Amino acid sequence: MPRVVITTAAAGASVSFTLGQQLTVIVLCALTAYAAQRAVAVFNDGVRPFLLDFVRGQSTRGAVATVSFGLSAGFVFGLGAPLALATGVLNPWLLFLPTDVLGLLSPKRWLAALSGAAWGSVVVFGLAGANALAHKLPVDFVTAMQQMATPILYLFTLFPVLAVTRQFGRLSGAVCGVIELALVVMSLKLWPKVFPGSVAMAAGVLLLTGLALRRDLVHRRRADRARAVTEQEPRADRTGDAAPMTDLFRAGAARLRSHLPLFMLLGAGMCLLSSTHVYGGGEAGAFLIAKGDYGAAAQVDFYRALGFIPVIATTALASGAYGIVGFTLVQPIGYLLPGPWPALIAGAAVLAAEVTALSWAGRALGGLPSVRDSSEHLRSAIARTLHLALLFGSLTAANAMAGGLGILLGGGLYLLNEAMGHPVTRMAAAPAAVIAAGIVLNVLCWLHLFAPAPR
């Protein structure tokens, strides 16, 4: 059987951006900070529900910015920065979580745009310098972090299995697992140049969706038969309680549509950045982009989007604030487009369509409870698989740096974070521990207490 080795384009090489790529990042960061300042769109899903009180004047700008910083700081320094250093590819945690905070903090719109542009400049110029410096250190922890690629890519393949198991039971989960394993083995044999998880993930997500639709249709038929033999309740009794929520959703949708030109600009910029292939919207997608497998990256990030569409739609309708990247569909679309003009047009069109269709999406999801639940299970499964993959990959990277001593430092810092109540969020703790371990190892090297292996 052919052996598939996952490598990245960034391995052993410096990170650099063209002038066009630098300008795209800087302008897009300015635009996202501007959108956050107006409480129209933020990247962090956890912040969006707090914006409703801010828009109503029931919360201050400083209070919302504090919440945003508390929910974002761990992901910026523990996941966004390590992932960018490891792949040489930018990611939304590094770019847009800080612009959320900067935008919400800024009392003036022009100040938000200026601070966002400044952050974009720090990223595009600082990342290249940090990457170059890390490669010159006695212990090159950036190259060691390439070891995270294989665990992330292959374990990520299993997230549909976890979702099916949690929603439909062990038997369905076992069937999904066998199907995915068979497809991975078949892909390795028949298509050795293709990421073997692509077909397996497609089959798993389709199976989950099919099971959810089947359950909803069965329940709908049973409800129809029940209504046929019983007297229907008066309409006022059934809808009275839902009227306030309906009015809230209608107001949120109207507020978002009033900012349609801004969302079209955001969509155009996001799709353009994705088409440059210096940006990845997810952990697995970033490694695939660094490898040059843009088709697989688009497929992986599309499946990831399925787990976030319901929560983005409902929180957007309730709060009147959308996601910076919308339903995140503009990202995989951008990976596949051949040039800047198609990306600009497609991105603007996709975000315009999403904002316009939000009300319909909310109603559709309300009528498909199992499909809505499957998205929740997908999101939970993605978090679980990536947590394990990041932990395993980080320990592998620590071992590559210094063997047992590296594992002791990296694993020990992770365990210390757990013992302290995980002040650094669990998803980001392991990569952050690797970087901290790398810094400690370099200090030990300078003190002549540790000798790294020859390169």
Side-chain angles (χ1 to χ4, degrees), residues 421-443:
H422 43 85
V424 178
T425 183
R426 282 175 172 163
M427 182 77 77
V434 173
I435 291 183
I439 294 172
V440 171
L441 288 169
N442 277 291
V443 172

Side-chain angles (χ1 to χ4, degrees), residues 90-453:
L90 301 174
N91 58 74
W93 301 280
L94 181 62
L95 290 179
F96 306 131
L97 288 178
T99 60
D100 282 356
V101 179
L102 292 170
L104 291 170
L105 272 176
S106 301
K108 302 292 184 180
R109 296 175 185 177
W110 66 266
L111 182 59
L114 184 62
S115 60
W119 175 252
S121 302
V122 169
V123 171
V124 293
F125 295 110
L127 181 63
N131 187 278
L133 176 63
H135 285 306
K136 296 177 181 179
L137 293 174
V139 180
D140 184 358
F141 58 86
V142 170
T143 297
M145 290 178 69
Q146 306 291 330
Q147 301 291 329
M148 293 193 300
T150 300
I152 288 176
L153 292 175
Y154 280 88
L155 286 174
F156 190 77
T157 302
L158 295 175
F159 78 84
V161 179
L162 270 65
V164 170
T165 303
R166 291 178 65 87
Q167 186 171 7
F168 297 102
R170 299 176 183 176
L171 179 59
S172 297
V175 171
C176 184
V178 170
I179 291 173
E180 285 209 9
L181 177 60
L183 288 172
V184 167
V185 173
M186 186 184 303
S187 299
L188 287 169
K189 182 69 175 178
L190 301 178
W191 309 294
K193 295 183 179 180
V194 176
F195 172 53
S198 299
V199 179
M201 275 187 285
V205 171
L206 287 173
L207 178 61
L208 176 66
T209 304
L211 290 171
L213 284 172
R214 178 178 176 275
R215 176 177 287 182
D216 282 336
L217 292 175
V218 169
H219 288 172
R220 184 174 295 179
R221 284 196 295 268
R222 289 176 180 173
D224 290 342
R225 285 197 297 266
R227 280 195 296 269
V229 297
T230 59
E231 183 176 337
Q232 189 174 5
E233 298 180 28
R235 180 174 298 273
D237 293 340
R238 291 185 293 111
T239 61
D241 293 339
M245 185 61 68
T246 301
D247 291 342
L248 178 63
F249 278 18
R250 186 180 297 113
R255 182 173 190 264
L256 293 174
R257 286 195 298 270
S258 69
H259 293 91
L260 190 60
L262 176 57
F263 287 116
M264 293 177 70
L265 286 174
L266 286 170
M270 190 61 59
C271 200
L272 175 63
L273 180 61
S274 300
S275 72
T276 64
H277 302 144
V278 297
Y279 169 87
E283 299 89 345
F287 279 105
L288 287 167
I289 289 172
K291 179 176 176 279
D293 195 347
Y294 309 129
Q299 189 174 349
V300 167
D301 280 0
F302 174 76
Y303 300 144
R304 182 188 180 92
L306 296 178
F308 289 86
I309 287 176
V311 69
I312 292 173
T314 53
T315 55
L317 289 170
S319 66
Y322 201 30
I324 288 294
V325 292
F327 288 150
T328 74
L329 297 175
V330 290
Q331 296 170 157
I333 290 173
Y335 303 157
L336 301 176
L337 293 177
W341 290 112
L344 288 169
I345 295 171
V350 169
L351 258 291
E354 289 180 8
V355 172
T356 304
L358 264 178
S359 296
W360 173 87
R363 290 193 300 270
L365 290 170
L368 297 171
S370 294
V371 173
R372 188 173 64 248
D373 291 345
S374 69
S375 295
E376 294 292 329
H377 287 297
L378 276 177
R379 213 152 41 91
S380 174
I382 288 172
R384 287 174 177 269
T385 53
L386 285 174
H387 176 227
L388 177 61
L390 287 167
L391 176 58
F392 184 79
S394 297
L395 289 175
T396 305
N399 181 68
M401 286 192 297
L405 179 59
I407 292 177
L408 174 66
L409 288 171
L413 288 170
Y414 177 85
L415 292 174
L416 180 62
N417 183 71
E418 289 288 301
M420 295 172 64
H422 43 85
V424 178
T425 183
R426 282 175 172 163
M427 182 77 77
V434 173
I435 291 183
I439 294 172
V440 171
L441 288 169
N442 277 291
V443 172
L444 293 176
C445 185
W446 288 326
L447 294 174
H448 303 287
L449 297 175
F450 170 72

